[in-house]
Amino acid sequence: MYLSNRIRNISFWALDFIKGSKIKNHLTDISKILENHNGSNPKRQQHINNLINHAVSTTLFYKQYDKLKNIEEFPVINKSIIQNNFNTFQSDFFLKKTKHKVSTSGSTGIPFYLFQDKNKRHRNTADVIYFFQKSGYIIGEKLYFLEAWRHFKNNNLLKSRIKNLEYIDISSFESFQIEAFLNKLKNSSKPKTIIGLPSAFENICKYFEANGSFNSKHFNIHSIITVSEFLNNDLKTSLKKHFNTKVVSRYSNEEMGILAQQDPNDDSNCFNINWASYHVEILKMDSNDKAELGELGRIVITDLFNYCIPLIRYDTGDIGAFETPQIGNDLYKFKTIEGRKMDILYDTSGKIISPHLIHTIFYKYFHWLKQYQFIQENEKEYTVKLNIQSSFPNEKELINDIKNDFGNDAKVSIIYVDEIPPLSSGKRKKVASNYTKPD
């Protein structure tokens, strides 16, 4: 490790030691649980029991469930329930204590915020360190964060420099900006990690394909971590080729923290779930019954460490499926994470279609496209928005490809646009749905 990075690393842990090793103790607990598989059952159950006991004794919402002992007997909650009963979810114990506010609009566009207590913040920091380490990043090394920072002002440049963190704005990630970023990577021989949206990395890979003037050996990238959007296999392969490094996708949300992350050494692309800090369930799409292994369902999370506003069985709005666990290991993995329930797609016969399929349909047309968006309007009508390079001679072929997967009776409209605007979060949704299948 370079001296300056080493000093940052030592300083971080020295400061934590002075403050009582709170982050270090959480990191030790996380490591023991996630790397001990079945042997960690008692510890995980203890975390669940502690949360339940706290919730039923200090919050108005959960006091009515004080007779329940099994977490799966508690009601499933969502953003609307929390918003409509916000005060009753707050723990009496933390009303006058220091709290940290976290907020998100997510893909729904609905403002939503929570409070977290100090111990939850320490746990989140430890989670971040653990999963960074698993991807190859070490505290003190250079970290580039690619996000839409157009409304973000870094008012503490000194703090960022101390952390060795640099924000790269991708609000309009044009070729000259990509070239400047790649030169920045090339001009520093120190090890570095890049974290950001897959759409930003997709633009970088397109730049490589068009120019190919950079040698990845000069970059010294330890790892690439993608967040917030779906990382498809083609982009993952391209990133590995161009940057000569490990690439993983991370699943997290603002209201809780890191929920799962891919293992860079596992070619299955499954996600290792953060069972140390969360209890995870997958419930059926139309009921609160458990989904079968491999069956798509609603991802429901219990945050084991936010005692300020306890969230037991919180429906994230995302859908996914568990992988069948290996023999002797009950720490299930996510086989797939499909994104928001509201953006689930259906073919013309009502069968669920994975949003991930859309990428495979559009992949062969990428060299004609700057951006695309696929929208299901109703039961059998679909809209495709295309932001093209100059021309697109394959409109009929694309429509036929869509009909092959969605049904010959699908009505597909192609609309050409100059820009597909991002959400307030900076994400550009490639898949959206305005259709709700009737029960």
Side-chain angles (χ1 to χ4, degrees):
M1 181 182 285
Y2 285 79
L3 179 60
S4 58
N5 294 350
R6 178 73 173 163
I7 291 173
R8 289 186 178 94
N9 184 281
I10 292 174
S11 299
F12 177 88
W13 290 115
L15 182 60
D16 180 57
F17 176 78
I18 293 172
K19 293 182 177 180
S21 298
K22 294 175 181 178
I23 296 172
K24 182 69 173 180
N25 291 338
H26 275 298
L27 182 60
T28 300
D29 181 69
I30 293 165
S31 299
K32 285 182 178 179
I33 291 175
L34 296 182
E35 296 172 16
N36 191 25
H37 301 302
N38 290 356
S40 65
N41 276 338
K43 186 64 174 178
R44 283 186 284 132
Q45 189 58 53
Q46 179 185 341
H47 286 324
I48 293 172
N49 293 342
N50 289 345
L51 176 74
I52 290 176
N53 290 337
H54 171 79
V56 300
S57 61
T58 69
T59 72
L60 288 175
F61 183 86
Y62 287 112
K63 278 182 180 179
Q64 60 187 309
Y65 305 110
D66 62 340
K67 302 300 181 183
L68 303 183
K69 300 299 181 183
N70 188 335
I71 193 170
E72 295 177 2
E73 296 176 345
F74 280 78
V76 176
I77 60 174
N78 55 34
K79 285 184 180 180
S80 295
I81 292 174
I82 297 169
Q83 286 176 318
N84 294 335
N85 302 275
F86 189 79
N87 290 335
T88 69
F89 274 94
Q90 295 189 68
S91 169
D92 295 342
F93 185 79
F94 289 95
L95 288 179
K96 296 183 179 180
K97 293 183 179 293
T98 301
K99 298 180 283 287
H100 179 83
K101 184 178 181 179
V102 291
S103 59
T104 176
S105 63
S107 299
T108 64
I110 301 173
F112 179 70
Y113 72 91
L114 293 173
F115 294 121
Q116 297 177 345
D117 56 82
K118 284 187 177 180
N119 188 57
K120 166 63 179 177
R121 300 297 293 172
H122 294 320
R123 186 70 174 198
N124 273 5
T125 300
D127 281 334
V128 169
I129 293 170
Y130 177 86
F131 284 98
F132 262 136
Q133 288 176 346
K134 287 299 179 181
S135 70
Y137 171 80
I138 300 173
I139 290 177
E141 293 181 349
K142 186 70 174 182
L143 179 64
Y144 290 98
F145 202 160
L146 277 59
E147 261 277 17
W149 301 109
R150 72 177 78 181
H151 301 302
F152 173 84
K153 291 185 178 180
N154 186 7
N155 296 319
N156 198 332
L157 295 175
L158 177 60
K159 189 174 182 180
S160 294
R161 180 163 292 186
I162 291 173
K163 290 182 177 181
N164 215 2
L165 170 64
E166 185 170 344
Y167 299 100
I168 305 296
D169 187 11
I170 61 164
S171 300
S172 57
F173 214 30
E174 303 293 339
S175 294
F176 73 94
Q177 294 167 309
I178 294 174
E179 183 176 350
F181 174 61
L182 294 176
N183 278 320
K184 189 186 293 282
L185 298 181
K186 185 179 70 172
N187 292 336
S188 172
S189 60
K190 294 181 180 181
K192 52 193 76 75
T193 290
I194 312 175
I195 183 170
L197 300 176
S199 53
F201 289 114
E202 186 174 271
N203 288 342
I204 293 174
C205 288
K206 286 181 179 179
Y207 179 90
F208 274 123
E209 298 295 342
N211 297 277
S213 58
F214 287 87
N215 187 337
S216 62
K217 292 181 181 179
H218 298 305
F219 292 155
N220 195 11
I221 306 295
H222 268 189
S223 62
I224 289 175
I225 303 170
T226 69
V227 294
S228 298
E229 301 169 348
F230 169 62
L231 173 65
N232 62 71
N233 287 334
D234 294 312
L235 177 56
K236 190 172 186 177
T237 300
S238 184
L239 286 170
K240 287 181 179 179
K241 178 182 75 172
H242 290 304
F243 286 95
N244 190 30
T245 190
K246 297 175 286 189
V247 180
V248 299
S249 178
R250 176 180 291 175
Y251 172 48
S252 61
N253 61 32
E254 293 292 337
E255 56 265 42
M256 291 183 167
I258 297 179
L259 304 174
Q261 181 174 287
Q262 290 177 338
D263 184 340
N265 301 313
D266 184 357
D267 293 333
S268 72
N269 289 327
C270 290
F271 288 74
N272 291 334
I273 296 173
N274 186 3
W275 291 104
S277 299
Y278 305 95
H279 179 72
V280 182
E281 302 171 72
I282 295 184
L283 306 182
K284 290 184 177 294
M285 301 291 286
D286 55 359
S287 75
N288 289 336
D289 296 330
K290 281 187 178 181
E292 302 295 329
L293 290 178
E295 178 187 4
L296 281 177
R298 297 174 293 129
I299 298 176
V300 174
I301 307 287
T302 297
D303 188 333
L304 302 178
F305 284 88
N306 189 3
Y307 278 35
C308 183
I309 297 184
L311 298 182
I312 300 175
R313 308 190 81 194
Y314 169 67
D315 189 331
T316 62
D318 297 328
I319 61 172
F322 280 141
E323 175 70 281
T324 302
Q326 296 177 345
I327 297 176
N329 180 9
D330 68 349
L331 292 182
Y332 290 9
K333 299 179 180 182
F334 283 128
K335 178 180 180 179
T336 182
I337 300 168
E338 300 285 338
R340 306 296 295 177
K341 181 186 176 186
M342 67 178 58
D343 291 329
I344 197 70
L345 302 173
Y346 300 91
D347 66 13
T348 57
S349 65
K351 177 185 175 183
I352 290 178
I353 298 292
S354 170
H356 298 176
L357 174 69
I358 301 304
H359 168 79
T360 65
I361 294 175
F362 282 85
Y363 182 72
K364 65 181 179 180
Y365 306 109
F366 268 17
H367 54 290
W368 279 294
L369 306 177
K370 293 180 181 179
Q371 300 167 319
Y372 71 87
Q373 186 178 56
F374 183 92
I375 305 170
Q376 181 161 12
E377 304 290 2
N378 55 44
E379 183 181 8
K380 296 186 178 184
E381 292 188 13
Y382 308 87
T383 298
V384 175
K385 294 183 179 181
L386 298 179
N387 179 5
I388 60 175
Q389 299 285 1
S390 57
S391 63
F392 185 65
N394 300 87
E395 184 174 303
K396 290 184 178 179
E397 184 181 353
L398 173 58
I399 291 175
N400 287 334
D401 286 345
I402 293 171
K403 287 186 174 183
N404 285 338
D405 286 305
F406 284 82
N408 290 327
D409 55 342
K411 298 177 182 178
V412 183
S413 301
I414 307 291
I415 300 175
Y416 295 93
V417 298
D418 294 328
E419 173 75 5
I420 296 176
L423 302 171
S424 59
S425 62
K427 304 177 191 176
R428 281 184 170 85
K429 296 180 70 174
K430 293 184 177 179
V431 175
S433 179
N434 297 322
Y435 170 65
T436 301
K437 186 181 178 183
D439 296 332

